[in-house]
Amino acid sequence: MRLHRLAVTAFGPFAEPQEIDFDALSGAGIFLLHGPTGAGKTSVLDAVCYALYGSVPGPRQAPGTSLRSDHASAGTPTEVTLELTAGGRRLEITRRPEQERPKKRGTGTTKDKAQSRLREHTGEGWEPLSRSHQEIGEEIEQLLGMSREQFCQVVLLPQGEFAKFLRADEAARGRLLGRLFDTRRFAAVEALLGERRRAAEAKVRAGDEKVLHTAQRLAQAAGDSADLRAWPLPGHQPGDPGLAEAVRAWAAVARCSARERLDVAEYALAAVESRHHAARRAAEDARELDRLQRRHAETVRRAALLAEAEPERERVRELLDRARRGALVAPALELRGAASAAHLAAAHAEAATRAELPPQLKDAGTEQLAAVEQRLREDLGALGAAHRAEQRSSEIGRERADLERESRAAEEQHQESAEWLERWEATRTALQERVDAAQQAATLAEQLAGRLEPARMHLSAARRRDELAADADRAEAELLTLREESAAARERWLELKEARLRGIAAELAEALVAGEACTVCGSAEHPAPARPAPGHVDRAAEDAAHGLFERAEQARAAVERRLAAAREARAEAAAAAGDATTAELLALTSDLSARHAAAHAAAAGLHSARERLARAEREHATRSSERQGAETRAAARASRREALDREQAALEAELTLVRDGAPTVAARARTLEDRVRMVSSAAGALRRAEGTAARLKEADDQLADAAFKAGFDTIEAAAEAVLPEYERTTLQHRLDAWQTEEALLADRRGETGAAEAAALPPAEPERAEAYAARAAARLRTAGSAADAARERCTELDRLSRQAEQELRALGPLREAYDRVARLAGLTAGTSADNERKMRLEAYVLAARLEQVAAAATVRLLRMSGGRYTLVHSDARAGGRGRSGLGLHVVDAWTGSERDTATLSGGETFFASLALALGLADVVTDEAGGMRLDTLFIDEGFGSLDDQALDEVLDVLDSLRERDRSVGIVSHVADLRTRVQAQLEIVKQRGGSIVRHRTAALTD
């Protein structure tokens, strides 16, 4: 991957469009990216990362953080464009983040969505490939072979991160290496094996639980027939290997005990059955003797009762004979009673209907009443036409009432419209004045808005100017104090240094050893070595004083820089605020705000005023048109009213003749209908009375003839002999019952067994039944015991077979669990076979770390003059910690191997830079050999002396052997004279800018 060109607009500190030509910078192999603190050096790297992956590195992508420049104008969109070569393809990526922009119409802002664009340069120019964020991200990650985290660690080498990596524990190293080398698949293998181990363990435990459940059911089925001392549950739990044999042994004992108890129960059952059969036969014989004795006694009693009822039998026979002859006369009696009742009812109805007739018709016959009814019906039929005329007269009344209502409503509307039209001119003038006033207020609001925003900016700058002036005053007072403290510390340090030099002979004498040459004079004899004087100042006291002086100087320099920055910012704020005071600007801003608010409120009614004026004009046109139509409709209503009056007068004259004094035609019709109904009822009642009289005479003749034929002397005698059907049936049933009883007693007198049984002693069936019941209870008890023993044996056999099947199925599960448990423990580092307690992922990362250490050592040896070597350590960690990701440094001068945390600041930079470059090589190889032609190293050079800086630059310069270019991001001044190609970030008031420079130009 090689970067060619980067263009940024309104991104980070860069307000105006800036372009960086990496091709020109990469020509020298090493180029410097420098500038003051906060100018935007790191923002260049952020722009590269954002163009490739759509996000910036690490914490700078925190929620709520905006990529947009605060210095950019509102209409300038934030945009980053990167041109690069990757995988032999020249690509151009353009990205815009989600951002606010001013609305094209009206005031306020609107939000634009994030945009991305990918183009490829072909022989015919730039060809668009995609505008999808996801597609572009997948394409770039596939071409580079690295995720965003890997790119930030490999291409944008963050030295601070690798210094932490050197001093970190193995867990922190594992997290970083895991992100870079993507060892998630090995962690997934660990998790998968752990999950399978737990699943296999759950299956084994479930199988054990199932076997124990079956054993418990065996115990329940065995009851108290088994020896509970052999029960497996108290001594065996799920997971116990001896559980199977214990269950098998106990089940065999339980089955043998159950079979023994079954044999005993069957012998007892056979004995009880024979005693039960004998008791049952004795009870049956006692019951039969008792039945025969009772039957003989019942026969004697019933024969006596039959003899006593003989007189009653004769009386019932005589009643039944008279009732049979009376039944022959009953139909004629019923017919004569019905005819008499019908005639009586008809006579009463005739009298009632004649009482309602008028006097001239009270004695009229059937023919006269029929003629009167026919004439009344003819008069009723003639009222149909009169009824229709009456309805039309009512409709005419309603139509005239509707015309009157319409006339009144039209008159009221006409009056209201006339009054409104008289006020039209005044109304239109008032509405037009409102429109003009709102228009003027809108113009004034626009003018005030143009003056208000600059006034607010001046007020904000004035307030900032006052705050910075106060900060500058405080900084000046603090600087004066710090200068005095620094001068006192320097004087104290010089005094201690001079005192130490005066007593330096005693300090040198302390290092003399008898027999060894003096480092000053070379003599091996030391006759009178100097002794320290009272109050002697040693090197530690001098160094402490010097450190105090340096800290005072640093504090003074920091305050001076802060004072300079405050003065510069105050000058900028003063230039922006002008000569006016804060109070004057506040008063001006408040006045403009109040006037603008008032004008804006007045202008807000412009639209509504225009709408009201337009509605009033439309209403004026409508009312003028309606006034003309109202006059035409009034004339038509007058003509219609006259025609209706003439029609109603003619109808009323005709109806007066037809009603004949009745208020309405309907009342006249109801009167005629009542008369027709009265005459028709009287004629019908007269005809029914005549018919019933003839039927009554005929019934009397038939009744006299029937009584004579049945043998009765009079009709009254025949009527007394008639009995209801239910009484005759009851008397017949009594006779039949006596005859049946007489026949039954005759049959019983012929039985010999009952008479013989009556001669024997009385039977005792209750005693025999009680003895048989006790025998049956003993039989049931013995049968239940035998059945229970038989069922117990059957259930124990079934459960034993089930337990054996479950135990056989549990064997393969135990073997599978042992196998997967060994693998899971080995990969998780918890197995005893894993001596170093290394997890599988840690083992893979240890191999990668060993490669990284070997690649880093090649450059570390050169940067440290052959002194230091990085080595990987897989020594087992103390306590419960894991091992495999240890990193040590071997010091060739002492021959010792020590932890990387013991390196000094400059040595740590050597090691971390070498580690970063080595890691870049290994990750590149891991990604499939993707060439990384452009690298960036961010800070860390300030801790190096001149010699170390030369060695580091030589190592970085050697990267050109792989045709790489290295960008150094630093503000170290010495690098500006050592690196020819430079990219300077210049911090300005309106936003930072970039400049391509060379060392020759800076001299």
Side-chain angles (χ1 to χ4, degrees):
M1 182 201 72
R2 178 179 294 277
L3 304 182
H4 299 292
R5 181 180 65 88
L6 175 68
V8 297
T9 303
F11 182 87
F14 305 107
E16 299 297 328
Q18 304 294 321
E19 184 170 336
I20 300 174
D21 188 355
F22 286 112
D23 288 335
L25 295 172
S26 302
I30 299 177
F31 62 90
L32 177 65
L33 179 61
H34 69 93
T37 301
K41 301 185 296 297
T42 305
S43 296
V44 175
L45 308 185
D46 290 348
V48 173
C49 184
Y50 178 72
L52 291 173
Y53 296 97
S55 61
V56 297
R60 296 190 291 278
Q61 188 64 17
T65 304
S66 175
L67 302 177
R68 181 170 176 78
S69 175
D70 295 333
H71 302 283
S73 60
T76 303
T78 299
E79 183 178 275
V80 176
T81 300
L82 177 65
E83 187 177 336
L84 74 156
T85 297
R89 301 167 61 185
R90 184 150 185 160
L91 304 173
E92 181 189 75
I93 308 171
T94 301
R95 292 188 187 270
R96 287 187 177 185
E98 186 180 76
Q99 54 192 302
E100 299 280 349
R101 64 165 177 82
K103 293 182 178 179
K104 296 181 180 179
R105 296 180 179 178
T107 59
T109 61
T110 186
K111 182 176 288 186
D112 283 341
K113 295 183 178 179
Q115 302 179 25
S116 299
R117 184 183 67 214
L118 177 64
R119 300 194 302 171
E120 182 177 3
H121 191 273
T122 61
E124 299 178 357
W126 290 102
E127 179 181 352
L129 295 182
S130 176
R131 289 183 174 273
S132 169
H133 302 299
Q134 182 177 359
E135 290 180 358
I136 294 175
E138 294 174 354
E139 182 73 15
I140 294 301
E141 188 165 344
Q142 183 177 3
L143 286 174
L144 300 183
M146 292 180 287
S147 64
R148 181 176 67 87
E149 291 77 9
Q150 291 176 318
F151 179 84
C152 294
Q153 293 289 142
V154 174
V155 179
L156 312 178
L157 302 180
Q159 296 305 308
E161 292 292 330
F162 281 96
K164 295 179 183 177
F165 182 78
L166 283 174
R167 297 183 173 88
D169 56 11
E170 295 191 5
R173 287 198 187 106
R175 287 192 295 270
L176 176 61
L177 293 174
R179 291 196 305 269
L180 293 178
F181 292 105
D182 192 14
T183 57
R184 290 175 294 181
R185 58 187 184 278
F186 301 103
V189 170
E190 296 178 22
L192 177 62
L193 288 175
E195 186 65 27
R196 289 186 176 179
R197 179 188 62 78
R198 288 188 293 273
E201 182 181 6
K203 290 181 179 178
V204 171
R205 182 169 291 276
D208 288 345
E209 294 287 352
K210 191 174 182 180
V211 170
L212 285 176
H213 178 66
T214 303
Q216 291 173 349
R217 293 176 62 188
L218 276 167
Q220 293 174 358
D224 57 353
S225 65
D227 187 2
L228 293 180
R229 290 174 298 176
W231 167 237
L233 181 59
H236 299 279
Q237 297 297 327
D240 187 354
L243 177 64
E245 295 302 325
V247 171
R248 289 191 177 100
W250 188 89
V253 172
R255 291 195 301 273
C256 291
S257 178
R259 290 193 181 94
E260 292 177 357
R261 298 194 66 176
L262 176 60
D263 294 340
V264 172
E266 288 178 346
Y267 289 141
L269 178 62
V272 172
E273 282 180 346
S274 62
R275 290 193 294 270
H276 175 259
H277 288 319
R280 188 174 57 186
R281 285 195 299 271
E284 290 176 355
D285 293 342
R287 285 196 300 271
E288 179 63 18
L289 177 60
D290 181 71
R291 185 185 68 79
L292 292 175
Q293 290 177 348
R294 290 178 181 274
R295 184 179 182 86
H296 181 269
E298 179 67 16
T299 302
V300 173
R301 183 184 65 81
R302 291 169 67 176
L305 293 176
L306 184 62
E308 293 177 358
E310 184 62 27
E312 180 67 15
R313 290 176 64 184
E314 290 298 328
R315 188 183 69 83
V316 170
R317 287 192 189 98
E318 184 179 353
L319 287 176
L320 278 176
D321 180 62
R322 288 176 56 82
R324 290 191 190 97
R325 289 185 291 112
L328 299 176
V329 186
L333 286 172
E334 293 177 359
L335 180 61
R336 198 267 177 187
S340 176
H343 177 65
L344 183 60
H348 284 296
E350 177 188 2
T353 54
R354 283 186 177 276
E356 296 178 356
L357 293 174
Q360 63 272 21
L361 296 178
K362 286 186 180 294
D363 297 328
T366 304
E367 292 79 5
Q368 185 179 359
L369 292 176
V372 171
E373 179 183 357
Q374 180 64 28
R375 179 172 52 81
L376 291 174
R377 291 186 183 277
E378 291 175 357
D379 294 340
L380 183 61
L383 294 178
H387 182 67
R388 289 190 294 273
E390 187 178 43
Q391 289 180 345
R392 175 56 185 160
S393 178
S394 299
E395 291 176 359
I396 291 174
R398 288 193 295 270
E399 289 181 9
R400 292 184 75 260
D402 292 341
L403 288 176
E404 291 296 333
R405 285 194 299 272
E406 290 177 3
S407 298
R408 289 193 298 271
E411 183 63 27
E412 292 175 358
Q413 184 178 3
H414 176 73
Q415 184 65 26
E416 194 270 335
S417 296
E419 294 176 355
W420 191 92
L421 291 173
E422 290 177 358
R423 300 191 305 270
W424 163 242
E425 291 299 330
T427 301
R428 185 171 63 83
T429 302
L431 292 175
Q432 186 62 46
E433 289 176 354
R434 290 185 182 178
V435 173
D436 296 340
Q439 184 65 46
Q440 293 174 2
T443 303
L444 179 58
E446 293 178 359
Q447 295 173 357
L448 292 175
R451 295 174 58 192
L452 180 59
E453 188 61 27
R456 288 175 176 170
M457 294 176 61
H458 291 161
L459 176 60
S460 177
R463 289 173 174 170
R464 176 67 176 162
R465 174 192 63 193
D466 296 344
E467 293 174 358
L468 292 172
D471 292 344
D473 293 341
R474 288 191 295 270
E476 288 177 356
E478 185 179 358
L479 179 61
L480 181 60
T481 302
L482 291 176
R483 282 175 177 172
E484 294 175 354
E485 293 177 356
S486 177
R490 184 175 184 278
E491 184 176 353
R492 174 61 178 167
W493 168 56
L494 293 177
E495 289 176 357
L496 293 177
K497 184 176 183 181
E498 184 177 357
R500 179 171 176 256
L501 291 176
R502 287 196 299 269
I504 194 64
E507 188 174 336
L508 293 174
E510 290 179 355
L512 294 178
V513 179
E516 293 184 4
C518 176
T519 57
V520 178
C521 64
S523 174
E525 297 180 0
H526 318 297
R531 295 290 182 265
H536 174 69
V537 178
D538 57 4
R539 184 179 184 85
E542 181 189 352
D543 290 343
H546 184 264
L548 183 61
F549 166 64
E550 286 184 342
R551 288 192 294 274
E553 279 293 298
Q554 291 174 357
R556 180 190 59 79
V559 173
E560 286 181 348
R561 290 193 297 272
R562 183 155 54 87
L563 178 59
R567 287 174 176 172
E568 182 181 355
R570 181 181 62 183
E572 293 178 358
D579 298 333
T581 64
T582 303
E584 293 173 350
L585 291 174
L586 178 60
L588 176 61
T589 304
S590 300
D591 179 62
L592 290 175
S593 298
R595 293 170 60 193
H596 176 265
H600 187 271
L606 177 60
H607 178 72
S608 62
R610 288 176 175 171
E611 287 293 329
R612 293 182 63 185
L613 178 59
R615 286 198 301 269
E617 290 177 346
R618 289 193 298 271
E619 186 175 1
H620 175 263
T622 301
R623 288 179 180 271
S624 299
S625 176
E626 289 178 350
R627 183 170 58 181
Q628 296 177 358
E631 295 175 354
T632 302
R633 288 191 294 273
R637 282 194 296 271
S639 300
R640 177 61 176 166
R641 189 184 300 110
E642 294 176 357
L644 291 175
D645 291 342
R646 289 193 299 271
E647 183 179 0
Q648 189 173 30
L651 291 174
E652 286 298 328
E654 179 182 352
L655 290 173
T656 301
L657 297 176
V658 175
R659 289 170 183 161
D660 192 20
T664 62
V665 174
R668 175 62 176 168
R670 285 192 297 272
T671 301
L672 292 177
E673 289 173 353
D674 292 341
R675 292 179 181 177
V676 169
R677 186 164 48 254
M678 180 178 59
V679 172
S680 176
S681 299
L686 179 58
R687 286 193 294 272
R688 285 191 295 274
E690 292 174 352
T692 56
R695 287 192 293 275
L696 178 60
K697 183 179 183 302
E698 183 180 357
D700 287 338
D701 295 341
Q702 292 178 357
L703 176 59
D705 184 58
F708 178 76
K709 290 180 179 180
F712 293 102
D713 297 334
T714 61
I715 295 175
E716 290 75 9
E720 291 177 357
V722 175
L723 292 179
E725 180 66 25
Y726 69 91
E727 290 186 5
R728 294 199 309 273
T729 303
T730 301
L731 293 175
Q732 185 64 46
H733 285 170
R734 292 181 69 184
L735 283 178
D736 294 341
W738 281 323
Q739 292 176 359
T740 303
E741 181 72 6
E742 188 175 11
L744 178 62
L745 291 175
D747 292 339
R748 287 190 176 184
R749 290 190 187 97
E751 295 177 356
T752 59
E756 295 175 354
L760 295 175
E764 296 180 351
E766 293 81 6
R767 182 177 179 181
E769 287 289 344
Y771 180 75
R774 288 193 295 272
R778 288 192 292 271
L779 177 63
R780 287 193 297 272
T781 301
S784 298
D787 292 340
R790 192 177 299 106
E791 291 177 1
R792 182 182 297 110
C793 290
T794 303
E795 183 67 11
L796 287 174
D797 292 340
R798 185 186 67 81
L799 291 175
S800 298
R801 290 192 299 272
Q802 179 179 343
E804 184 63 27
Q805 293 174 357
E806 293 172 352
L807 290 172
R808 290 177 181 176
L810 190 58
L813 295 179
R814 288 189 183 278
E815 295 177 0
Y817 168 71
D818 293 339
R819 182 170 57 256
V820 74
R822 286 195 300 272
L823 289 176
L826 189 63
T827 57
T830 59
S831 173
D833 297 334
N834 192 335
E835 297 179 357
R836 298 187 181 276
K837 300 175 67 176
M838 291 179 64
R839 295 171 51 241
L840 176 61
E841 184 181 16
Y843 179 79
V844 175
L845 292 177
R848 294 290 186 268
L849 183 59
E850 188 174 2
Q851 297 174 0
V852 171
T857 297
V858 176
R859 296 184 176 86
L860 182 58
L861 286 171
R862 186 171 178 180
M863 285 188 282
S864 62
R867 179 178 179 181
Y868 293 117
T869 302
L870 282 175
V871 294
H872 161 252
S873 173
D874 59 358
R876 181 169 180 175
R880 301 180 62 185
R882 301 295 177 88
S883 58
L885 296 178
L887 193 62
H888 292 171
V889 61
V890 177
D891 191 344
W893 291 4
T894 62
S896 62
E897 180 177 336
R898 51 195 172 94
D899 193 86
T900 53
T902 62
L903 295 174
S904 64
E907 293 170 345
T908 299
F909 174 72
F910 282 159
S912 61
L913 178 58
L915 187 63
L917 295 175
L919 186 62
D921 292 340
V922 175
V923 172
T924 300
D925 296 338
E926 179 75 12
M930 172 63 66
R931 290 176 54 85
L932 300 178
D933 299 324
T934 306
L935 299 177
F936 293 92
I937 301 175
D938 192 358
E939 293 298 345
F941 294 89
S943 60
L944 303 179
D945 54 24
D946 293 343
Q947 181 180 356
L949 186 60
D950 288 338
E951 292 174 350
V952 171
L953 291 178
D954 289 342
V955 171
L956 295 179
D957 189 59
S958 67
L959 295 176
R960 287 189 292 179
E961 297 173 1
R962 291 192 176 187
D963 194 21
R964 287 181 176 175
S965 61
V966 180
I968 299 174
V969 182
S970 178
H971 53 68
V972 177
D974 290 344
L975 289 176
R976 301 179 191 175
T977 61
R978 297 170 183 261
V979 180
Q980 298 298 319
Q982 300 178 13
L983 180 67
E984 181 182 9
I985 310 299
V986 181
K987 181 168 63 175
Q988 296 182 352
R989 180 183 303 173
S992 300
I993 62 174
V994 299
R995 294 177 182 172
H996 294 73
R997 305 182 63 180
T998 63
L1001 294 175
T1002 60
D1003 293 338

